[in-house]
Amino acid sequence: ERGFWSMTYCLYMMKSIFSVSTMVFVMLSASLAGCFGDDDSSMEGYTGPIDLVVYYDATSGQIEQSWNGNTPTQSEGVTLTFDFASTSSSAGDITTLFVDPDDGSDRVEQAASDSGDVSYTWMTHGLFFVDLGAIDSDGNEHSIMIKVRIDMHIVRTDSPSGSHTMTFDATTDCTDGDPQPNRLTVSSEATNSGNGNPFAGGNSDVSWTLTNGAGDEVDSGQGNLGNGQSQTWDSTTMNVVPGDWTLSVEVTQGDDVSVNNEVTITYVEGSESGINPRPV
């Protein structure tokens, strides 16, 4: 009899423990649901009628700018093309295709009946979060986001004079202002032309100063050029401060000096989305 009551007590205790454990589990599950969200669809992705299929062969490029003194001679942006031809909707026809470039410009919209390709040309540098999307005849809209990396290369040539100053904007053009460029490189070649006269003048003292967008001196260098000689000064800056940067080349004595400057503003290579070419 004692064994019977002992077994009954044990079963009662096990049932009580199980009930408490179940309650704890339910409470824990409820708290976790609050952490991860109550809407399961947020983890399932888009469930609407548009099957958005976009192909693209490139997601990065480099703008090329050329200047002769203060006069621009060339400005070649980066044009990327996005192929929406395979996009469809179960609710109707695809009527509109669009690209939102994230550079402050309005999104580019195009009638799907005109072409399945939508192109856009970036003229400013940045790591852009670009929306690619479509709208169907029932008013449904769906888009995806990809990252596009646009670097910039600037070449400026200044004819012989006493001193030279070049200003360029290192601020990203992304609408949210982030991220800033990862690297800024400068290569400046100064040439003591001697005014074309091999017997003219003596040596020229030249100094370079690079100032960032906050007005702080970042780097500097000096050189001494004999008649007809050239010297190149190179500088690299990481984690670039936004704003207008200034490269000053000062000639303190001697002949007039011509300068050829190259500035490259770059973002982290590989930070852009991978390509998605149309299958062959």
Side-chain angles (χ1 to χ4, degrees), residues 101-150:
D102 187 35
D103 62 355
S105 303
D106 294 335
R107 77 180 189 181
V108 176
E109 295 190 354
Q110 178 175 294
S113 57
D114 291 343
S115 174
D117 290 343
V118 182
S119 297
Y120 184 76
T121 301
W122 281 266
M123 298 301 298
T124 52
H125 59 84
L127 181 64
F128 300 98
F129 291 74
V130 179
D131 287 326
L132 309 175
I135 303 172
D136 67 14
S137 55
D138 199 38
N140 299 295
E141 179 175 324
H142 181 39
S143 65
I144 59 172
M145 186 274 290
I146 66 169
K147 291 181 286 185
V148 170
R149 175 174 58 89
I150 305 295

Side-chain angles (χ1 to χ4, degrees), residues 63-66 72-77 123:
I63 297 167
E64 297 289 342
Q65 285 189 356
S66 298
T73 58
Q74 178 187 7
S75 186
E76 183 178 341
M123 298 301 298

